[in-house]
Amino acid sequence: MDVIELRSDNAAGVAPEIVEAIAAANTGTAIAYGADDLTERLHDVVREVFEHDGARVFPVTSGTAANALALSAIVPPWGAVLCHETAHILNSEGGATSLLGGGAVMRGVAGDDFLMSPDSLRRALDSVGWGDPHYSQPTALSFTQPTDRGTIYSVDQIAALTEIARERGMRSHLDGARLANALVSLGCTPAEMTWKAGIDVVSLGATKNGGLSAEAIVVFDDHASDELVYRTKRSGHVTSKMRYQSAQLIAYLTDDLWRRLATNSNDRMRELAAGLAEIDGVELLNRPDVNMLFVRLADEHIDRLEAAGLLFYRMGPGVIRLVTNWSTTPGEIERALTAFRS
Amino acid sequence: MDVIELRSDNAAGVAPEIVEAIAAANTGTAIAYGADDLTERLHDVVREVFEHDGARVFPVTSGTAANALALSAIVPPWGAVLCHETAHILNSEGGATSLLGGGAVMRGVAGDDFLMSPDSLRRALDSVGWGDPHYSQPTALSFTQPTDRGTIYSVDQIAALTEIARERGMRSHLDGARLANALVSLGCTPAEMTWKAGIDVVSLGATKNGGLSAEAIVVFDDHASDELVYRTKRSGHVTSKMRYQSAQLIAYLTDDLWRRLATNSNDRMRELAAGLAEIDGVELLNRPDVNMLFVRLADEHIDRLEAAGLLFYRMGPGVIRLVTNWSTTPGEIERALTAFRS
Amino acid sequence: MDVIELRSDNAAGVAPEIVEAIAAANTGTAIAYGADDLTERLHDVVREVFEHDGARVFPVTSGTAANALALSAIVPPWGAVLCHETAHILNSEGGATSLLGGGAVMRGVAGDDFLMSPDSLRRALDSVGWGDPHYSQPTALSFTQPTDRGTIYSVDQIAALTEIARERGMRSHLDGARLANALVSLGCTPAEMTWKAGIDVVSLGATKNGGLSAEAIVVFDDHASDELVYRTKRSGHVTSKMRYQSAQLIAYLTDDLWRRLATNSNDRMRELAAGLAEIDGVELLNRPDVNMLFVRLADEHIDRLEAAGLLFYRMGPGVIRLVTNWSTTPGEIERALTAFRS
Amino acid sequence: MDVIELRSDNAAGVAPEIVEAIAAANTGTAIAYGADDLTERLHDVVREVFEHDGARVFPVTSGTAANALALSAIVPPWGAVLCHETAHILNSEGGATSLLGGGAVMRGVAGDDFLMSPDSLRRALDSVGWGDPHYSQPTALSFTQPTDRGTIYSVDQIAALTEIARERGMRSHLDGARLANALVSLGCTPAEMTWKAGIDVVSLGATKNGGLSAEAIVVFDDHASDELVYRTKRSGHVTSKMRYQSAQLIAYLTDDLWRRLATNSNDRMRELAAGLAEIDGVELLNRPDVNMLFVRLADEHIDRLEAAGLLFYRMGPGVIRLVTNWSTTPGEIERALTAFRS
């Protein structure tokens, strides 16, 4: 029985274009630790794609590394990172930001749709004793874009929140483990979603969207970049053969590959959601803005879907998570819908 | 002009067998974060190769990560790691062990040939106030095998030093960034060089010997393994698509690939050293036990070698470092010798 | 105008019995760093007072140090400390537990009256992925007794919560910055409130109740004690002339001094609350179980109280905090009530 | 038998003037955590004594806390602190600087008489890969003044070494656990020995010289001071009743009390050394510049001294350490010499 992969975009393989880029990089020798030509070119590519001459990029091999390191460069050890109370950095990274941030803490901010709301953020900031060392001082704001629940901030929402943060002297980070999916969904440019909206540091994920352990920290702040030179190394996050990460990221950001791959996963999800919306007994719990859908249906139906070869996560009684990826085919969606219908 | 790469084995490419293994892993989907079939199989391969049923393996993407994490699992935050005063972990990893070890410190031990000597180790241990919190308590001993200067410990030397450490309740780590080169040189088994000689945790490097950012921590101690489940994640060292690391490591350890690749680099170095020994004005500073040689010669000759396309590192006035790798060819060695001779 | 101190018990002076104990200790010389006779005797006193032969005590000079160190000894760096969402360790210690705990995180648990409820605790524990390194693993439960809002857990409530925690392998800490006030209020023994109710480590505060920077960590768990030997030193929390801390703590725990001092502050608060309850326009926001009361009244009245020489904290519009201490006199309470009445 | 205390100045009691200052502070109430009047006055006293309008002072309760916190404010987590290879911070503080410095490392510098030499310092700095994250970046230089072996830097020596450090962008710290003894010995002003000689942060010890757990960090650099507001609190080093520390430090620095107390211990040591120099079989191992002397004599004589009631430390076979303190009397010195002579 052929299974249909809807558990996670992390479960997908590596896109052929990325495989080719790795193979193309595998000629001759190259100096190690990021001093190679490909990594240098990656800086140029990032500057062009993000339309920012001062941008610098640090390839790493996991999203947790990208997030915790990015935050460590904009939060002092006595600082607090504010993020939505359901944020990945707060709940699913084993406390990495506290380790790499030298003991910095994270604070959850409330908000509907798994998005921080301006009011909640203001309330959180107003309850702090600023300058009083009894209080961890909020110095960074972190967005998960899209969220782990498949919702997205509009560019205006990001700008409004970073503006509130900036008034308090805070800097802002965007956890873009699925950045391309959000970009495609919003139809905006990378610059619009990031530095033009007040973001200082970005975790740019490629792994979930066709890469091979290829993530990057994109930084628009020179001071943070200067720190990351040391912070990446001392946490073991500078690969010696960095050219193979850089080659992937160059391919990913070139000729819109990242958008094309993300477009596929978003489109497949929209088809899936459209189909599911017409099936009795299936309730959609979020808008299919990107490639992730939470669905409520009877547990006996869930069991049957599993038996039919659908791979997905159970979030609790009667709720499952479905995630499409860059390689999901229209045929797979059709077969999945058939399974749901029966 | 064709250059000859003698700077670092990190500068070499990825071996064809490893590339094939990555390609072979790139079919279908697989669950993320190390719960995949390939990573499970890697555990079996490691147990077989190291002849230890309780061994567990944690793939990571840099040698610094492997070392600092391995040590963090056997040293408390108030502990000290003892290593040779020229050890890589002490001098070339940006303090990673102190970060990931929660503030643990490192102490250099003297010894000829860049190897810790039993006498120096005993003297270091005798100067400690055991149980007195004014003193960082030595709890781990770390070997660099081979050393960064191309020398190696014999199996007996390792066993003698770990025995001294064990009497003090310490555990032992082996930094095997070039483990295969040492194995081939000594003609011993992985078990003999590690747990049979008193080693508890190993940093097993594959990157310098043909891998693509493929390193691993091999652990013979269940308590350390249990900790590493959390320590790897919270430092950002669990890749989501771990199967691509595991596939490389399986290929590396299968059918003696690691030995064959290391045999090539060691053999090429022996040829190079044999040739250089016969050239006037060239002084060999170490025995070519593995794939690294330090050589003294006149600076004007060094300049001419560089002009002739030899790539190497200058260690100071009149001293250069030469490193062969898995892909170095006999023809390259011959051309290098010709350049030296002229 | 004579002021009446109701801001904080931290603002009070040092009790005469404590001053005498310091003076008595100031004869002859004594070996440093806790190897002196008084510190040895303190261990015996603690064992007797807490009715626990294995108890060990570590004098420190701040409550934050006591809490963060106590917790660091029972939580691994990848662990989470669960506490009420209003707990002092979470909100008012500048992230000390994350620093001294090597990056451990804190998680708030809900509950009425500023007390964790069994249901909330169970819900928090049920939402964790146990053994999954994406989740910070809850390993310690921390009580603030009494809470920063003047409420207290009964002995049964403590026992019920530690029992839930123990089922998950967690250990328990009690932040007793005002432990004596709770003891007197509940009329129980130190043993009943601590180890007999499942507490492994206690922060025993004396400073707020008449001491001079005299706090202590009381430990009923040998493994935690062994760690604290090193953890106290490396965080700078071993005073060289420890005998002056130990002398205070001996005096404090001898002849019920701690209970007598706390009885005074609790009794004065009960008188104050009883008087306030009869005044129109003054609303008591908590029961005067210990020495702290939150009161709602019109802001113009608050201004007038201040003008009349009452010292207190404003918690927000229309709410003030009143705290009595070991030296508060019945006359001061009477004068305070007169001010409120007018 | 009356003993004679020559083990450590830490073993001495609290000077009467300090006891009086504590008693005088124990009137009325005062706001906690350093916002009290005495702590404010302490800032003025420090500014006057150190002749520096921008100086700020942070009272703490141990020398280890003062050193590790002072250094944490001038060294980034990826930095290295350079100090003499026998320095207290490197060998006797349990790794506190690495903990509170977020993983910063310490590096020993050689030099005769337990003093760093300019040549050794330059060599250490020249061996660093500046800007290369493989190398912990030296960012702070730390002096122990006087050293743990009783030797002292001249003001010119300090200035020469800080100048070398400053050329590399480093800042400088002075561990003055016995600062007054050095001041008196050199006959210079506090300003001359510190900021005028290039020192940015000072650990000012009072405990060994008559205080009751009274140490302070004196800072001449605003950025470091701003950090210490948070760093002291989150490491548990802000006492709530800080006025009792501040009162001691004010008394200590007023009317030359610190100099008078140190003059006594230095003078007694000079007398002791002068007497010992005339005794056959007793070899002085250092000049009695301050209050500490290392002496070589036959082990059987050492045993007899102990039997005669002399308290001292044995440093190894045939070597003992003698330390005088603020309360050592000429009569005690005479009795000690009599014991040596017999």
Side-chain angles (χ1 to χ4, degrees), chain D residues 71-320:
Chain D
L71 287 164
S72 76
I74 58 171
V75 72
W78 55 86
V81 175
L82 268 54
C83 56
H84 192 270
E85 56 197 10
T86 61
H88 198 264
I89 59 166
L90 178 55
N91 296 292
S92 306
E93 298 191 344
T97 294
S98 287
L99 170 62
L100 300 187
V105 302
M106 287 170 281
R107 297 277 189 237
V109 171
D112 293 341
D113 295 330
F114 313 100
L115 308 173
M116 295 181 283
S117 79
D119 281 355
S120 295
L121 178 58
R122 275 201 199 89
R123 262 197 309 279
L125 295 175
D126 286 347
S127 74
V128 171
W130 294 92
D132 176 347
H134 288 73
Y135 295 80
S136 297
Q137 303 286 302
T139 37
L141 187 65
S142 178
F143 298 80
T144 320
Q145 171 79 330
T147 70
D148 287 20
R149 305 293 299 213
T151 58
I152 47 176
Y153 292 91
S154 71
V155 168
D156 285 351
Q157 283 176 310
I158 294 175
L161 291 161
T162 62
E163 176 59 27
I164 295 169
R166 199 161 299 266
E167 284 164 12
R168 296 294 198 165
M170 297 168 66
R171 284 184 286 175
S172 295
H173 163 252
L174 190 142
D175 171 2
R178 295 182 176 95
L179 186 64
N181 298 89
L183 273 184
V184 165
S185 180
L186 291 174
C188 66
T189 67
E192 285 165 355
M193 191 189 285
T194 59
W195 64 271
K196 288 185 176 175
I199 299 293
D200 300 285
V201 198
V202 175
S203 299
L204 169 60
T207 307
K208 292 179 202 288
N209 196 26
L212 191 172
S213 304
E215 307 277 317
I217 312 169
V218 174
V219 193
F220 307 114
D221 172 313
D222 261 356
H223 182 75
S225 288
D226 290 345
E227 287 204 0
L228 283 169
V229 170
Y230 301 103
R231 290 188 179 276
T232 49
K233 175 63 193 170
R234 72 193 286 267
S235 56
H237 286 296
V238 177
T239 55
S240 55
K241 292 185 174 172
M242 195 182 284
R243 56 172 157 158
Y244 296 96
Q245 266 82 43
S246 298
Q248 293 184 61
L249 292 164
I250 291 170
Y252 186 68
L253 296 174
T254 300
D255 291 338
D256 275 340
L257 176 59
W258 60 331
R259 288 183 191 267
R260 280 183 281 133
L261 296 170
T263 297
N264 183 75
S265 45
N266 283 12
D267 284 355
R268 296 295 83 74
M269 179 49 74
R270 227 182 5 249
E271 294 166 13
L272 179 62
L276 292 177
E278 298 179 356
I279 303 176
D280 276 352
V282 175
E283 181 190 355
L284 277 56
L285 299 177
N286 63 294
R287 266 198 339 231
D289 284 334
V290 288
N291 62 328
M292 192 182 298
L293 191 67
F294 292 80
V295 168
R296 175 169 290 134
L297 75 171
D299 281 321
E300 56 192 33
H301 294 159
I302 294 176
D303 295 342
R304 245 179 290 147
L305 289 172
E306 236 169 32
L310 256 66
L311 302 176
F312 50 80
Y313 284 137
R314 291 168 182 259
M315 307 305 288
V319 178
I320 62 173

Side-chain angles (χ1 to χ4, degrees), chain D residues 42-59:
Chain D
L42 175 61
H43 277 88
D44 291 336
V45 170
V46 163
R47 284 168 186 160
E48 196 185 315
V49 167
F50 281 87
E51 304 171 55
H52 193 296
D53 285 350
R56 284 155 74 182
V57 54
F58 298 84

Side-chain angles (χ1 to χ4, degrees), chain A residues 299-312:
Chain A
D299 281 322
E300 56 191 34
H301 294 159
I302 294 175
D303 295 343
R304 245 179 287 145
L305 289 171
E306 234 168 35
L310 256 66
L311 302 175
F312 50 81

Side-chain angles (χ1 to χ4, degrees), chain B residues 170-218:
Chain B
M170 298 168 66
R171 285 183 285 175
S172 296
H173 163 251
L174 191 143
D175 172 4
R178 294 183 177 94
L179 187 64
N181 298 89
L183 272 184
V184 165
S185 179
L186 290 175
C188 66
T189 67
E192 286 165 353
M193 190 188 286
T194 60
W195 64 271
K196 289 186 177 175
I199 300 292
D200 300 285
V201 198
V202 176
S203 298
L204 169 60
T207 308
K208 292 179 202 288
N209 195 27
L212 190 172
S213 304
E215 307 278 317
I217 311 169
V218 174

Side-chain angles (χ1 to χ4, degrees), chain C residues 145-169:
Chain C
Q145 171 78 332
T147 70
D148 287 20
R149 305 294 299 214
T151 58
I152 46 177
Y153 292 91
S154 71
V155 168
D156 285 351
Q157 282 175 310
I158 294 175
L161 291 162
T162 62
E163 176 59 27
I164 295 170
R166 199 161 300 264
E167 284 163 13
R168 296 294 199 167

Side-chain angles (χ1 to χ4, degrees), chain C residues 103-164:
Chain C
V105 302
M106 287 170 281
R107 297 276 188 238
V109 171
D112 292 342
D113 295 328
F114 312 99
L115 308 173
M116 294 182 283
S117 79
D119 281 356
S120 294
L121 178 57
R122 276 203 198 88
R123 262 197 309 278
L125 294 175
D126 287 346
S127 73
V128 171
W130 294 92
D132 176 347
H134 288 73
Y135 294 80
S136 296
Q137 303 285 303
T139 37
L141 187 65
S142 178
F143 298 79
T144 319
Q145 171 78 332
T147 70
D148 287 20
R149 305 294 299 214
T151 58
I152 46 177
Y153 292 91
S154 71
V155 168
D156 285 351
Q157 282 175 310
I158 294 175
L161 291 162
T162 62
E163 176 59 27
I164 295 170

Side-chain angles (χ1 to χ4, degrees), chain C residues 252-270:
Chain C
Y252 186 67
L253 296 174
T254 301
D255 290 339
D256 275 342
L257 176 60
W258 60 331
R259 288 182 191 268
R260 279 183 282 132
L261 296 170
T263 297
N264 183 75
S265 45
N266 283 11
D267 284 356
R268 295 295 84 73
M269 179 48 75
R270 224 177 12 245

